[in-house]
């Protein structure tokens, strides 16, 4: 197993910038404002020929017990416990602060190998702070500029012997890259990519913690705690899953400030990357248009969708609540008619089996392949029951159909005048596919192509 390295230090010393530099992608949110990072984020780092797992952390902070900052700091303490090596980052331009000294003592008590990194070391302004770092007692600090990529060879030279003492560096296995989108087939040997989205305070992080059986993510009464889209590796009944927690997504008009905009953008990236998306709705409140808008966004991205009504244990009239939800779905989300709706309580650990069964069922439908012969027999029956209209007296003729791809199911339709085919008729075909091929709850797409049946001559030769 590769070694694990935690990046630690007080807020705003450049930990997330260094994390992004090591993993080779800008996946951690970065801003001049301190305290942007809250949850512990992990990634696969590469430094020349070294590979290792790296944790980005919220930063060690001296905050009142029970506060959000204190809970963020506790996540960093957990990272120290899980790490093989700690990269203690200071701001060379600011010099050594009293908080740096306090946390240096805390890190020393952990007994873990410590590598002192003096970040922001570009230019003369950092010289005094660099020499001050010696007094922390961790030996010679490594001067770097994570933002400009300077000093990484020195970091490599310092880190390499430490890693050799712990584990043999390993090459990342195929498919470990977070942005891997290769392969259309539903290969059950590859991790299922599952994202959880919803409005702020819908219970997303609480659900993930309950599924994992540990306090992996920050939770609390404050809305909007999660900012980064955080993924964790997980298993459910032997199936590997990459599980994404995301920032709460409010209505566009309510999104304020650079940090929230970046967090929403990160959540949207998680949706595009996922195979299935759980849209969490707070059942303890009235269902809002934004909840259904999020489900519609997921469907438009072509992902499998499951709706989860959270906090179901506090709902008094459960039958009425479910009836109201299903009514609104019928009116607002016709494109994913029949989407699975499950109820759960993360606090009481109820409904998890139903939730994951719905996820796997939705992914199976989303990945479905229907033989061309079956598609055309179905099409003939649909055309016989309800022929295409003739707008402006011009006859629309559908000759042939085939499934062009899956994930989501996409069907190519060949014929004449198809650009005049009204949306109502496409909806008729889409609903027929759902009913006859058990494709409820997944987005279905059409590709309309003019010309004759491309297989017609081959069929005559036979």
């Amino acid at each position: 197993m590769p070694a694990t390295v935690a990046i630690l230090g007080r807020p705003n010393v450049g930990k997330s910038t260094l994390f992004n530099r090591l993993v080779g992608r800008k996946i951690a949110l970065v801003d001049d404002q301190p305290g942007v990072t809250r949850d512990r984020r992990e990634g696969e780092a590469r430094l020349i020929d070294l590979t290792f797992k790296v944790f980005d952390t919220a930063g060690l902070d001296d905050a009142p017990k029970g506060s959000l900052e204190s809970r963020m700091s506790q996540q960093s303490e957990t990272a120290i416990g899980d790490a093989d090596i700690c990269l203690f980052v200071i701001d060379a331009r600011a010099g050594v602060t009293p908080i740096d000294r306090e946390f240096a003592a805390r890190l020393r008590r952990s007994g873990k190998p410590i590598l002192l990194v003096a970040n922001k070391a570009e230019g003369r302004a950092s010289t005094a702070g660099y020499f001050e770092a010696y007094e922390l007692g961790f030996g010679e600090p490594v001067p770097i500029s994570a933002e400009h990529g300077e000093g990484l060879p020195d970091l490599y030279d310092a880190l390499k012997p430490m890693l050799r003492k712990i584990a043999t560096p390993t090459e990342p296995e195929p498919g470990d890259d977070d942005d891997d989108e290769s392969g259309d087939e539903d290969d059950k040997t590859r991790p299922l990519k599952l994202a959880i989205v919803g409005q702020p305070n819908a219970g997303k992080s609480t659900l993930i913690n309950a599924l994992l059986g540990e306090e992996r993510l920050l939770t609390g009464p404050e809305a909007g705690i999660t900012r980064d889209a955080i993924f964790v590796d997980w298993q459910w009944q032997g199936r590997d899953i990459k599980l994404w927690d995301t920032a709460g997504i409010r209505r566009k008009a309510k999104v304020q400030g650079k940090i929230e905009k970046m967090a929403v953008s990160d959540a949207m990236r998680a949706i595009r990357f996922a195979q299935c998306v759980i849209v969490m709705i707070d059942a303890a409140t009235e269902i809002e248009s934004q909840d259904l808008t999020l489900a519609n966004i997921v469907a438009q991205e072509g992902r499998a969708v499951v709706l989860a009504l959270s906090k179901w244990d506090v709902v008094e009239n459960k039958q009425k609540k479910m009836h109201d939800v299903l009514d609104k779905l019928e009116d607002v989300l016709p494109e994913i008619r029949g989407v699975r709706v499950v109820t759960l309580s993360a606090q009481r650990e109820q409904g998890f089996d139903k939730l994951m069964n719905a996820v796997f069922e939705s992914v199976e439908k989303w990945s479905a392949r229907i033989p061309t012969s079956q598609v055309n027999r179905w099409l003939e029956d649909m055309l016989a029951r309800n022929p295409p209209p003739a707008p402006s007296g011009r006859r629309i003729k559908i000759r042939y159909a085939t499934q062009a791809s899956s994930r989501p199911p996409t069907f190519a339709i060949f014929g004449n005048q198809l650009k005049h085919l009204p949306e109502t008729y496409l909806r008729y075909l889409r609903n027929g596919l759902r009913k006859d091929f058990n494709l409820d709850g997944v987005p279905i797409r059409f590709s309309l192509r003019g010309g004759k049946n491309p297989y017609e001559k081959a069929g005559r030769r036979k």
Side-chain angles (χ1 to χ4, degrees), residues 258-443:
K258 180 181 177 182
I259 300 300
E260 186 176 4
K261 290 177 181 177
M262 289 194 300
V264 170
S265 177
D266 211 25
M268 294 302 299
R269 175 183 174 275
I271 291 173
R272 288 189 289 271
F273 176 74
Q275 295 166 309
C276 182
V277 178
I278 298 172
V279 179
M280 290 198 68
I281 299 172
D282 186 349
T285 62
E286 287 296 320
I287 185 170
E288 299 180 9
S289 60
Q290 176 67 1
D291 297 315
L292 302 181
T293 298
L294 288 177
N296 192 46
I297 289 172
V298 175
Q300 288 176 357
E301 290 291 340
R303 303 310 179 212
V305 187
V306 173
L307 299 187
L309 303 182
S310 66
K311 308 178 187 178
W312 193 247
D313 53 311
V314 302
V315 175
E316 294 183 0
N317 193 336
K318 293 178 170 55
Q319 186 175 358
K320 181 179 182 302
K321 172 65 74 171
M322 181 60 74
H323 184 269
D324 291 345
V325 170
L326 295 179
D327 273 356
K328 289 183 178 180
L329 292 180
E330 188 70 21
D331 294 338
V332 181
L333 295 176
E335 297 304 312
I336 47 173
R337 180 170 295 169
V339 63
R340 288 292 303 273
V341 180
V342 298
T343 60
L344 58 87
S345 169
Q347 293 284 0
R348 297 189 179 184
E349 299 186 0
Q350 297 172 345
F352 294 171
D353 287 332
K354 290 189 300 181
L355 176 66
M356 295 310 300
N357 288 339
V359 166
F360 290 130
E361 179 184 319
S362 297
V363 171
E364 185 175 354
K365 292 179 179 180
W366 183 68
S367 306
R369 283 279 189 179
I370 304 170
T372 298
S373 58
Q374 292 185 29
V375 173
N376 279 284
R377 284 196 296 269
W378 165 84
L379 180 61
E380 289 176 6
D381 183 59
M382 295 291 287
L383 295 176
R385 280 188 284 170
N386 183 11
S392 304
R394 305 183 70 177
R395 184 184 176 193
I396 298 174
K397 186 168 184 178
I398 297 178
R399 302 177 181 276
Y400 179 81
T402 185
Q403 184 174 356
S405 64
S406 61
R407 313 177 79 183
T410 302
F411 296 86
I413 300 177
F414 297 86
N416 295 334
Q417 306 294 330
L418 295 184
K419 64 180 180 180
H420 299 294
L421 202 60
E423 180 58 36
T424 52
Y425 196 81
L426 291 175
R427 190 178 305 124
Y428 162 71
L429 296 178
R430 190 176 289 114
N431 289 337
L433 286 166
R434 294 192 197 285
K435 178 181 177 182
D436 295 332
F437 295 110
N438 191 29
L439 296 178
D440 284 345
V442 298

Side-chain angles (χ1 to χ4, degrees), residues 19 23 27 41-45 52-56 178 231:
F19 174 87
V23 300
I27 57 177
R41 178 191 277 277
E42 64 182 73
E44 298 297 327
F52 50 92
K53 181 179 288 188
V54 63
F55 286 135
D56 184 24
D178 288 357
F231 88 88

Side-chain angles (χ1 to χ4, degrees), residues 250-261:
R250 301 192 293 170
R251 289 200 304 270
K252 190 173 183 179
K254 288 188 174 183
V255 175
Q256 298 178 350
K258 180 181 177 182
I259 300 300
E260 186 176 4
K261 290 177 181 177

Side-chain angles (χ1 to χ4, degrees), residues 48 155 386:
I48 307 179
L155 181 61
N386 183 11

Side-chain angles (χ1 to χ4, degrees), residues 99-140:
I99 296 178
D100 289 327
R101 293 187 179 90
E102 179 182 341
F103 294 129
R106 188 185 302 183
L107 285 171
R108 194 175 289 109
R109 288 194 296 270
S110 73
K112 297 295 178 75
I114 310 295
L115 178 59
L116 180 60
V117 177
N119 190 31
K120 307 181 185 180
E122 68 277 12
R124 294 181 180 179
S126 65
T127 302
Y130 169 76
F131 285 111
E132 277 183 20
Y134 278 91
E135 69 185 61
L136 293 174
F138 295 121
E140 183 178 0

